[in-house]
Amino acid sequence: MAIQTVGIIGAGTMGNGIAQACAVAGVKVVMVDIAQAAVDKGLATVSGSLDRLIKKEKLTAEQKTAALALIKGSTNYDDLKSAQLVIEAATENHALKLKILKQVDDMLAPEVIIASNTSSISITQLAAATSRPDRFIGMHFFNPVPMMALVELIRGYLTSDATHDTVKELAERLGKSPITVKNAPGFVVNRILVPMINEAFFVLAEGIATAEDIDAGMKLGCNQPIGPLALADMIGLDVCLAVMEVYLEQFGDSKYRPCPLLKEMVAAGQLGRKTGRGVYTY
């Protein structure tokens, strides 16, 4: 089944980014959010992002017009019925995602595939809340969606090969490079990335090197575009801590214990860029 229309639930950062990636690739989009203001903001963000691509000469004004014409903003879940794939891109909140998934599962035709853009919640567990666990998959896009090539395709315990292959084909049509992942805490990228960030906090706490030198070492020695501590500030120290706590709980392995310095900084409200101060001051 080729996908002609993608439904997206949530017009925030991830939702509007996915909408843009689809529309630029010529795929119709229905982007739904509960408030009209959120829908309007999402559409305005896409428009602004396309303008920046025009400035960089990566897109023409005609292509922008064509892409925007493919996105329909709505506050009505019924409009999702025209989609062959619906991607849930709501806030990373387990109870909220379950509520949304149950609601859309009841109204969508049985053959429609549902995907979740979660970065941490079990796909098997989310799939079990629907009547179509075989047609449920994780599609973890990375931020900013229009620029980042990676999509993690997470197979739940019951995700069928047909569902995986259909969604993989769409990801490639969007110009993305999908990787296939089994359902497990943190999937692949965050499973490796966040413990590395946590280890950088241990190195900092032990006074082995300054924050600047730790980041310079990883950039110059491992060819990373940004050091782990600067990246933590960008992600949010509270988010990094929450992920480590999930790993510690779900794996039951002490290697995932959060660094005490990371816990202290979060307790002090120094969460990174969003609060103006984390490892660095902004």
Side-chain angles (χ1 to χ4, degrees):
M1 174 182 70
I3 290 163
Q4 270 95 40
T5 304
V6 172
I8 299 169
I9 301 167
T13 305
M14 297 308 289
N16 68 56
I18 298 166
Q20 178 179 327
C22 290
V24 168
V27 179
K28 279 188 191 167
V29 176
V30 179
M31 182 172 67
V32 175
D33 209 308
I34 45 171
Q36 188 60 48
V39 174
D40 293 343
K41 190 181 174 191
L43 292 169
T45 302
V46 173
S47 182
S49 176
L50 295 173
D51 282 339
R52 286 192 292 280
L53 291 174
I54 292 170
K55 262 188 188 160
K56 291 178 185 169
E57 296 184 353
K58 290 185 176 176
L59 205 71
T60 65
E62 291 76 24
Q63 286 172 311
K64 175 194 169 178
T65 304
L68 287 177
L70 290 173
I71 305 174
K72 176 184 179 177
S74 173
T75 55
N76 187 351
Y77 270 51
D78 277 348
D79 288 333
L80 295 168
K81 288 179 178 175
S82 62
Q84 293 81 46
L85 166 70
V86 171
I87 303 171
E88 170 274 310
T91 313
E92 196 72 351
N93 176 307
H94 195 190
L96 175 67
K97 285 187 187 288
L98 286 177
K99 184 183 161 206
I100 289 169
L101 291 169
K102 282 179 177 151
Q103 189 179 340
V104 294
D105 179 53
D106 288 343
M107 51 168 284
L108 294 173
E111 67 275 8
V112 176
I113 295 170
I114 301 178
S116 175
N117 176 54
T118 179
S119 58
S120 64
I121 299 169
S122 165
I123 293 301
T124 299
Q125 212 173 26
L126 292 176
T130 74
S131 62
R132 62 190 86 208
D134 57 323
R135 286 182 300 289
F136 193 99
I137 194 166
M139 267 190 111
H140 180 210
F141 289 84
F142 285 73
N143 189 22
V145 178
M147 314 313 293
M148 298 289 275
L150 182 65
V151 180
E152 284 183 312
L153 300 181
I154 304 110
R155 298 188 67 140
Y157 188 66
L158 296 172
T159 304
S160 71
D161 290 343
T163 295
H164 168 268
D165 295 349
T166 300
V167 174
K168 184 182 181 198
E169 187 272 329
L170 174 75
E172 287 168 346
R173 230 192 310 158
L174 303 186
K176 303 299 180 193
S177 301
I179 62 169
T180 300
V181 179
K182 279 185 186 168
N183 186 56
F187 314 134
V188 166
V189 176
N190 287 338
R191 167 86 176 269
I192 297 166
L193 175 70
V194 183
M196 182 191 76
I197 288 172
N198 192 52
E199 198 62 35
F201 274 94
F202 274 114
V203 172
L204 181 65
E206 289 164 26
I208 293 167
T210 64
E212 289 80 2
D213 282 354
I214 292 166
D215 279 351
M218 292 305 288
K219 280 163 72 177
L220 299 171
C222 298
N223 208 20
Q224 294 182 350
I226 183 172
L229 297 170
L231 182 58
D233 275 353
M234 197 185 281
I235 293 167
L237 270 53
D238 52 337
V239 176
C240 295
L241 175 60
V243 172
M244 287 306 296
E245 285 171 337
V246 166
Y247 292 173
L248 185 63
E249 181 210 341
Q250 296 194 1
F251 290 113
D253 188 330
S254 64
K255 74 178 182 182
Y256 295 112
R257 72 201 183 286
C259 176
L261 174 62
L262 176 61
K263 291 166 97 166
E264 274 291 280
M265 290 177 74
V266 171
Q270 294 187 3
L271 309 182
R273 285 178 184 256
K274 62 187 170 189
T275 57
R277 187 151 183 219
V279 177
Y280 301 100
T281 304
Y282 299 89

